[in-house]
Amino acid sequence: MRRHLTVAPPAPAGERVRELYRGGIRSVALDEPISLRSPEPRDLHALDFVRVATARGLLVRWHLRTGRRADPELVARDLTHLQPPASLDGRGSQERLREWHRRFYIGRCVWRRGPGFVQIRDRRDGVLQLFDLSEDDYVRAVLQLEQQRAAEVDPQVLDAMRDERLVLRLGDLDWWAPALIDRWPVPSMVL
């Protein structure tokens, strides 16, 4: 049984990651680097794949290209809930990559569904920020963002989620950062 595979990230990522995991694959490599210099939908699909694979426990070897003008918070904070990439470009990249490895753990920024609500737990800042969303516009927005349908989200809701950095503005595109967790890896009190 093959345990490693090189893939082009599909859209949507969730079913593909579950299919790979059920098939015995425990390690994948993305076929191209993810570029946030001028991101395209393919780059966001690849980030989705890394996010879903991270939550599932599937090891992903990937490379990140941010460019010189990248927001320093993007790597220092906003993406550290994803498995660290194998390589990162730019000034100080080795130090930023070491810090990413030091800060990463599964469950750092996750969301889960309940009946009529969504709960988000975000520890990317080092402290727990808990969001309990029960308003229909917000619950619907999370589901739309998870499916990369940001254009359908109420603009005020989208702005509120951007303000909390749950939605990251990458070039001209919006990307939903929290990972859907379908089972807690440790008791929920810890997360």
Side-chain angles (χ1 to χ4, degrees):
M1 181 185 320
R2 285 183 12 195
R3 306 216 12 110
H4 178 79
L5 188 64
T6 298
V7 299
E15 186 52 41
R16 180 66 174 139
V17 168
R18 284 187 289 277
E19 176 185 299
L20 290 169
Y21 199 86
R22 280 191 304 263
I25 301 295
R26 297 297 180 261
S27 170
V28 296
L30 295 185
D31 64 342
E32 293 181 31
I34 297 173
S35 176
L36 300 182
R37 293 174 183 163
S38 305
E40 297 177 10
R42 181 233 172 261
D43 296 302
L44 269 56
H45 294 309
L47 277 177
D48 281 349
F49 187 87
V50 173
R51 181 189 65 218
V52 173
T54 298
R56 177 57 68 174
L58 185 66
L59 181 63
V60 181
R61 181 171 175 79
W62 63 294
H63 302 272
L64 181 61
R65 306 290 170 256
T66 59
R68 288 180 294 191
R69 294 189 193 128
D71 177 358
E73 287 296 304
L74 185 65
V75 172
R77 173 188 169 243
D78 295 337
L79 297 177
T80 58
H81 65 297
L82 303 176
Q83 296 174 49
S87 69
L88 178 65
D89 69 348
R91 181 176 296 150
S93 60
Q94 292 308 309
E95 178 58 35
R96 291 183 301 158
L97 198 51
R98 275 192 295 277
E99 183 66 13
W100 192 330
H101 277 275
R102 189 184 69 71
R103 295 181 71 192
F104 169 74
Y105 59 87
I106 293 175
R108 192 172 173 86
C109 183
V110 296
W111 72 279
R112 68 182 181 101
R113 279 178 267 224
F117 74 93
V118 166
Q119 184 179 76
I120 302 163
R121 295 175 182 216
D122 185 358
R123 288 186 181 267
R124 292 175 296 171
D125 275 335
V127 294
L128 175 63
Q129 292 184 3
L130 183 61
F131 303 92
D132 288 318
L133 309 177
S134 58
E135 294 178 33
D136 289 341
D137 288 348
Y138 282 86
V139 172
R140 187 173 38 258
V142 169
L143 302 177
Q144 291 165 329
L145 289 162
E146 177 75 12
Q147 297 170 2
Q148 287 195 0
R149 297 177 11 229
E152 299 174 23
V153 176
D154 177 295
Q156 289 180 321
V157 172
L158 189 60
D159 285 343
M161 290 184 167
R162 283 180 187 145
D163 289 346
E164 297 296 340
R165 300 180 82 89
L166 299 172
V167 172
L168 303 178
R169 189 75 177 160
L170 304 173
D172 294 332
L173 303 170
D174 288 302
W175 181 70
W176 175 244
L180 173 62
I181 193 140
D182 52 9
R183 66 174 195 255
W184 295 109
V186 293
S188 62
M189 295 285 292
V190 175
L191 292 178

